[in-house]
């Protein structure tokens, strides 16, 4: 069914109303997740407006500090991080927060605690901020069952299969928020004049195979044999190479057009570059919910059990058949 026909059959739906409708499917639902997701959407609107006027408002350039990864923080990194910590804390529905920009987990104080833990990358793709190329926010949500106890990092050092919701917001030519609560994937576009996220992509399904591969080919000399063989096979099949260098933008294109995004391990970064909790898991959850898959080079991404907050992992995600091809090459290597 043509996307436009699909939309013709879809009423004008805001993100808030969509989440409320989802909530009503569960009579036992408390509305806490609804409130939390709306606070995340509010944070995205704030960051969208800051990203939009970054060049004018002198928000580009360095903030003069470094984050836990030893990376120079950009002004927008710091601002986005502050915005999300504020939005998540003031929701009153969180217990543990883990941000790419903070070394330690933020444990919410008594009286302001809720039962959700949020892991997030407030502004992903920082190398593209100053040239106004698409960047984004990535988030994943875990639930803590025991009521009212203090949060602890073990609450988030859980496999990705335990995530109850995940999403990203891309700040590009239009601002798109893509969300899953475990029942498929839905896309919303921000209408700046209304200040509302409007449903524009219902029930997103990634094509089973794609004609695009996305990787930083500059690292090729350091790749292992299966990755090298896979990319060579893509070239032989004259697949198109597309690489923006912002995971959110590269994954968003992969989700809609099909194909594969990979950030493999290499001699320089033996564990890859991307962080498990707030980059790999949320994107893997979305990919699987859209009919694709995500692989670590050893196994299913979502089954990985992280031991550190800022742990990294190689990742291969996208169309089901494309990732199957990668898995075959690693299986051959493992059996040889
Ligand atoms: P941060 O910008 O949040 O640190 O994210 C990492 C990232 O920029 C991803 O968005 C992107 O996929 C990758 O690093 C690009 O890395 P490289 O420049 O090595 O290709």
């Amino acid at each position: 069914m043509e996307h436009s026909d699909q939309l013709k059959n879809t009423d004008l739906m805001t993100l808030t109303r969509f989440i409320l409708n989802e909530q009503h499917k569960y009579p036992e639902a408390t509305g806490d997740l609804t409130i939390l997701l709306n606070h995340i959407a509010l944070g995205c609107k704030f960051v969208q407006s800051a990203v939009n006027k970054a060049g004018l408002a002198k928000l580009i350039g360095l903030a003069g500090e470094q984050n836990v990864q030893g990376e120079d923080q950009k002004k927008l990194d710091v601002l986005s991080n502050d915005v999300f910590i504020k939005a998540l804390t003031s929701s009153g529905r969180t217990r543990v927060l883990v941000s790419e920009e903070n070394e330690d987990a933020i444990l919410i104080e008594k009286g302001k605690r809720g039962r959700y833990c949020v892991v997030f990358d407030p502004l992903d793709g920082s190398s593209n901020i100053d040239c106004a190329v698409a960047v984004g926010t990535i988030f994943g949500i875990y639930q803590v069952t025991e009521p009212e106890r203090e949060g602890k990092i073990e609450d988030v050092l859980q496999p990705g299969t335990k995530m109850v919701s995940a999403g990203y917001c891309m700040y590009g030519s239009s601002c798109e928020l893509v969300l899953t609560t475990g029942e498929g994937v839905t896309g919303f576009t921000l209408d700046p004049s209304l200040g509302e996220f409007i449903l524009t992509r219902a029930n997103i399904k990634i094509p089973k195979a794609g004609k695009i591969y996305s990787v930083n080919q500059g690292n090729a000399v350091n790749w292992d044999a299966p990755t090298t063989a896979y990319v060579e096979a893509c070239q032989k099949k004259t697949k198109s190479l597309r690489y923006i260098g912002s995971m959110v933008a590269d994954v968003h294109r992969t989700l809609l057009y099909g194909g594969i995004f990979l950030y493999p391990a290499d001699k320089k970064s033996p564990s890859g570059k991307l962080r498990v909790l707030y980059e790999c898991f949320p994107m893997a959850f979305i990919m699987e919910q859209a009919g694709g898959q995500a692989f670590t080079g050893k196994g299913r991404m979502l089954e990985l059990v992280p031991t550190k907050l800022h742990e990294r992992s190689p990742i291969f995600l996208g169309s089901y058949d494309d990732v199957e091809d990668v898995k075959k090459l690693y299986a051959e290597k493992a059996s040889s």
Side-chain angles (χ1 to χ4, degrees), residues 197-238:
F197 279 106
I198 306 294
L199 191 154
T200 47
R201 301 181 193 276
N203 192 21
I204 300 173
K205 289 295 175 205
I206 185 171
K208 201 155 175 307
K211 299 187 180 64
I212 296 173
Y213 69 104
S214 183
V215 65
N216 181 343
Q217 198 123 1
N219 297 329
V221 285
N222 295 320
W223 286 342
D224 60 17
T227 297
T228 305
Y230 179 73
V231 171
E232 280 170 2
C234 288
Q235 290 165 326
K236 283 208 189 78
K237 293 178 196 153
T238 63

Side-chain angles (χ1 to χ4, degrees), residues 114-222:
R115 53 203 177 95
Y116 291 104
C117 302
V118 183
V119 292
F120 63 102
D121 181 351
L123 204 62
D124 172 71
S126 41
S127 58
N128 280 324
I129 291 174
D130 294 354
C131 56
V133 166
V135 291
T137 296
I138 310 172
F139 63 91
I141 302 174
Y142 289 100
Q143 186 174 6
V144 179
T145 43
E146 309 99 287
E148 214 19 64
R149 67 157 171 72
E150 183 174 34
K152 49 188 179 176
I153 63 165
E154 288 72 22
D155 291 330
V156 292
L157 294 181
Q158 299 287 329
T161 48
K162 290 270 182 71
M163 272 189 177
V164 293
S165 177
Y168 62 79
C169 189
M170 183 183 73
Y171 312 112
S173 51
S174 64
C175 175
E176 296 212 24
L177 190 149
V178 171
L179 176 70
T180 185
T181 54
E183 296 229 357
V185 180
T186 311
F188 304 83
T189 304
L190 181 64
D191 179 327
S193 62
L194 297 176
E196 283 282 3
F197 279 106
I198 306 294
L199 191 154
T200 47
R201 301 181 193 276
N203 192 21
I204 300 173
K205 289 295 175 205
I206 185 171
K208 201 155 175 307
K211 299 187 180 64
I212 296 173
Y213 69 104
S214 183
V215 65
N216 181 343
Q217 198 123 1
N219 297 329
V221 285
N222 295 320

Side-chain angles (χ1 to χ4, degrees), residues 239-287:
K239 290 196 175 192
S240 299
L241 172 61
R242 294 280 180 279
Y243 192 70
I244 297 166
S246 293
M247 185 188 196
V248 168
D250 282 315
V251 169
H252 189 60
R253 183 203 52 250
T254 303
L255 181 66
L256 301 181
Y257 294 176
I260 188 168
F261 167 82
L262 52 156
Y263 207 108
D266 62 41
K267 295 193 191 82
K268 253 186 345 168
S269 346
S271 310
K273 176 180 182 179
L274 301 174
R275 279 50 60 112
V276 171
L277 274 181
Y278 42 79
E279 289 174 324
C280 299
F281 277 172
M283 295 307 200
F285 189 7
I286 288 166
M287 265 313 148

